[in-house]
Amino acid sequence: MTTLEAIREYLELLNSSELKSNLEELSTQDLIENWDDLTEEEETVIFKHLPLEMKIDLMKSLSPKDQESILRTFTDGGLTTIKQLLKEMDPDDLVDIIQSASPDVRKSVWENLSDDTKKEMIFLLKFDEDDASGLMTPRYIALQANISVAQALKFIRGQQVKDVETIYVLYVIDQFKRLIGVLSLRDILKAQDTDMIRDIMETDIISVEEKTDQEETAKIFITYGFLAIPVVDDDNVLLGIVTYDDIIDVIREEQTEDVYKMGAMNGKVEPYFETSIWGLVRKRVPWLVMLLFLGTVTTNLLHHYESIVMGAAFLFIFMPVITQTGGNASNQSSALMIRGLATGEVETDDILRVLFREMIIGLIMGAITGLAIFCRGMLLPPSISFYQAFAVSVSLCFVVVFSSVIGALAPLIISKLGFDPTVMSGPLLATFIDVCGLSIYFELAKMILS
């Protein structure tokens, strides 16, 4: 029996208390995977009978459309349920829900928030959602430097730990709330009660500014393996912290955006089946039309070399091989550079080093592919003469060198100019390589065969 079938049997056969007990045995992931297959009525009944913690986990993981459906249902007829849910949700998750909801649902949610939660929301809504400050939560534990470990432990025990995003990382601030140190819960537990916080805290702090882009924040998390990172303003005042669970969402979102750009698509990242037909067309058609016109340059190029092609028809036969191999070589190089830039392994200042390495790599790959196409032209039908095979192989070698170098340098140059390097990959780069590769092919063939 599948999970979906089991859930539906629960709904049909069990009373309210039995249903609640059996739903607790399911994982949140089971519910998420089957949520789209449930009817709206089934979703409402299930959500109503879930434990609070599962409600919160499920709500965070659902799409904006499903979140809004639940909010609309329970703000209309289940105020107790929704108030309890909103009270217990992390403020950064709640902000995301509010920002994606329609105006009427947003108003209903706002009216069901407590005064303290409203203050947190007003504070967080001031920041751009694509910056580090848009990911942060104001719920963290901050200590003063001039207290003892015993006093710190007493302070921590007095906090509402369940409301704090993480207790494993603690922050030390001065009287102006400026960040001056950081330490872990382990550091405190290892220290003596009489030790002072200022003596055991780490002052070499890695933090991000409020306007740091979320992608850059994710890179810092990946580099250092943090559980959380503090967010400060221009005066080093601690505003909040970003935790690893929010960064996972950012990484997933950024990867999806990169896939869009590499596939030559525009627009906001949205689930496929929740995007209208016209919405999908609008994402794809602008780039498609632009690439169409860029591709017509190839037509002009063939017209320019028409006399050569007419006099040496074999050049036309091997033209797809030239364009495909050049495109593949450039895609390999650009993929390596985009990944290197994303992980910090490659910097935009490494252009000369990359140029030197890719020229050597391109020459080796060009020689190998050139030899392969030479043997294929000589031994397999349609067979061509020695000089014809030589012309094709030499041309292919130079096309591979050119494509490898351009594929590697284009993302670095685009990134150096402050743009997203993924725009110079996929169809756009392939179109450029096709035009340049065919020019190299025909010019070298003309020189050799003349």
Side-chain angles (χ1 to χ4, degrees):
M1 183 185 296
T2 65
T3 303
L4 181 62
E5 290 170 342
I7 291 172
R8 285 192 164 137
E9 284 204 4
Y10 295 162
L11 293 173
E12 287 180 17
L13 303 175
L14 304 180
N15 60 38
S16 184
S17 61
E18 290 173 334
L19 176 60
K20 184 174 182 180
S21 176
N22 280 272
L23 287 176
E24 287 179 3
E25 296 178 5
L26 295 174
S27 69
T28 306
Q29 189 58 38
D30 287 334
L31 290 172
I32 294 167
E33 289 174 357
N34 293 281
W35 197 258
D36 289 338
D37 296 318
L38 298 169
T39 66
E40 190 171 329
E41 184 180 350
E42 289 171 336
E43 291 173 352
T44 302
V45 174
I46 289 170
F47 193 83
K48 182 179 179 181
H49 288 85
L50 287 176
L52 181 59
E53 286 301 318
M54 287 186 71
K55 280 190 179 82
I56 293 171
D57 291 339
L58 179 64
M59 194 69 174
K60 290 192 298 185
S61 304
L62 291 176
S63 67
K65 179 183 176 182
D66 290 328
Q67 288 175 343
E68 177 153 338
S69 176
I70 289 173
L71 289 171
R72 191 180 295 278
T73 299
F74 285 96
T75 49
D76 289 342
L79 292 180
T80 303
T81 301
I82 207 67
K83 281 184 176 179
Q84 189 180 23
L85 175 70
L86 298 176
K87 179 182 177 182
E88 298 298 328
M89 285 193 73
D90 294 329
D92 49 334
D93 295 323
L94 193 51
V95 164
D96 292 338
I97 291 173
I98 289 174
Q99 288 176 327
S100 61
S102 58
D104 58 323
V105 172
R106 191 181 306 159
K107 183 179 179 181
S108 297
V109 169
W110 187 260
E111 290 172 350
N112 284 286
L113 296 178
S114 66
D115 291 340
D116 289 340
T117 305
K118 284 181 180 178
K119 289 178 182 177
E120 287 181 328
M121 293 300 100
I122 291 171
F123 172 70
L124 292 175
L125 287 167
K126 294 188 299 183
F127 303 106
D128 192 324
E129 60 181 330
D130 292 329
D131 293 340
S133 52
L135 302 171
M136 71 182 182
T137 174
R139 295 180 181 177
Y140 55 87
I141 294 180
L143 305 171
Q144 295 289 328
N146 58 350
I147 63 173
S148 67
V149 167
Q151 290 173 312
L153 284 170
K154 183 179 179 181
F155 175 78
I156 294 169
R157 292 191 186 104
Q159 301 300 300
Q160 292 290 332
V161 175
K162 66 182 180 67
D163 293 335
V164 177
E165 191 79 10
T166 177
I167 63 168
Y168 302 110
V169 185
L170 310 169
Y171 301 94
V172 185
I173 56 175
D174 62 14
Q175 65 269 33
F176 301 108
K177 208 180 175 185
R178 291 177 300 203
L179 182 64
I180 58 174
V182 64
L183 70 164
S184 67
L185 185 60
R186 178 184 294 179
D187 294 330
I188 288 186
L189 295 176
K190 284 168 54 180
Q192 300 296 320
D193 285 350
T194 54
D195 290 343
M196 302 300 289
I197 293 298
R198 63 171 171 267
D199 297 327
I200 63 172
M201 70 181 186
E202 177 65 54
T203 56
D204 186 14
I205 310 165
I206 296 173
S207 61
V208 292
E209 295 185 357
E210 59 180 296
K211 294 189 181 297
T212 302
D213 184 73
Q214 62 177 13
E215 189 172 4
E216 185 62 31
T217 306
K219 288 181 184 178
I220 296 173
F221 262 88
I222 294 169
T223 302
Y224 295 98
F226 287 149
L227 287 175
I229 191 168
V231 182
V232 298
D233 66 9
D234 294 337
D235 298 319
N236 204 43
V237 171
L238 181 60
L239 300 174
I241 63 171
V242 179
T243 53
Y244 73 94
D245 56 326
D246 296 310
I247 288 300
I248 291 173
D249 294 335
V250 169
I251 293 171
R252 188 183 298 117
E253 181 183 329
E254 293 293 337
Q255 286 176 338
T256 305
E257 286 182 359
D258 288 346
V259 170
Y260 272 30
K261 290 172 184 174
M262 292 173 74
M265 289 186 288
N266 294 322
K268 184 181 177 183
V269 175
E270 295 173 333
Y272 178 81
F273 286 110
E274 292 182 15
T275 308
S276 66
I277 298 294
W278 178 241
L280 290 171
V281 170
R282 282 189 289 117
K283 285 179 187 290
R284 297 158 67 172
V285 79
W287 274 95
L288 200 60
V289 172
M290 188 188 80
L291 292 170
L292 168 67
F293 282 104
L294 287 175
T296 58
V297 177
T298 306
T299 306
N300 297 334
L301 191 68
L302 291 175
H303 177 70
H304 177 73
Y305 290 106
E306 183 179 6
S307 59
I308 299 174
V309 175
M310 294 297 291
F314 77 93
L315 291 176
F316 185 78
I317 296 173
F318 284 92
M319 192 172 71
V321 177
I322 298 294
T323 57
Q324 289 171 10
T325 307
N328 291 337
S330 68
N331 284 339
Q332 289 175 339
S333 298
S334 65
L336 288 171
M337 289 304 106
I338 290 170
R339 181 192 176 278
L341 288 167
T343 59
E345 296 172 11
V346 179
E347 303 289 341
T348 54
D349 294 333
D350 295 329
I351 288 179
L352 292 180
R353 289 178 61 195
V354 169
L355 173 63
F356 180 72
R357 286 173 64 88
E358 287 300 318
M359 285 187 68
I360 295 175
I361 294 168
L363 280 170
I364 296 172
M365 295 195 305
I368 294 171
T369 53
L371 179 61
I373 198 64
F374 178 83
C375 295
R376 186 256 178 266
M378 292 292 294
L379 302 175
L380 298 175
S383 59
I384 54 179
S385 70
F386 175 86
Y387 284 108
Q388 290 173 338
F390 181 72
V392 174
S393 63
V394 170
S395 300
L396 181 61
C397 178
F398 277 92
V399 168
V400 169
V401 174
F402 174 81
S403 301
S404 299
V405 170
I406 295 300
L409 294 186
L412 293 176
I413 294 170
I414 292 295
S415 181
K416 186 78 171 178
L417 295 173
F419 300 103
D420 191 331
T422 54
V423 300
M424 271 306 292
S425 61
L428 182 59
L429 183 59
T431 303
F432 178 76
I433 292 295
D434 284 351
V435 174
C436 296
L438 287 176
S439 298
I440 294 170
Y441 175 49
F442 287 127
E443 285 296 330
L444 286 176
K446 183 172 70 173
M447 290 170 58
I448 294 170
L449 295 173
S450 63

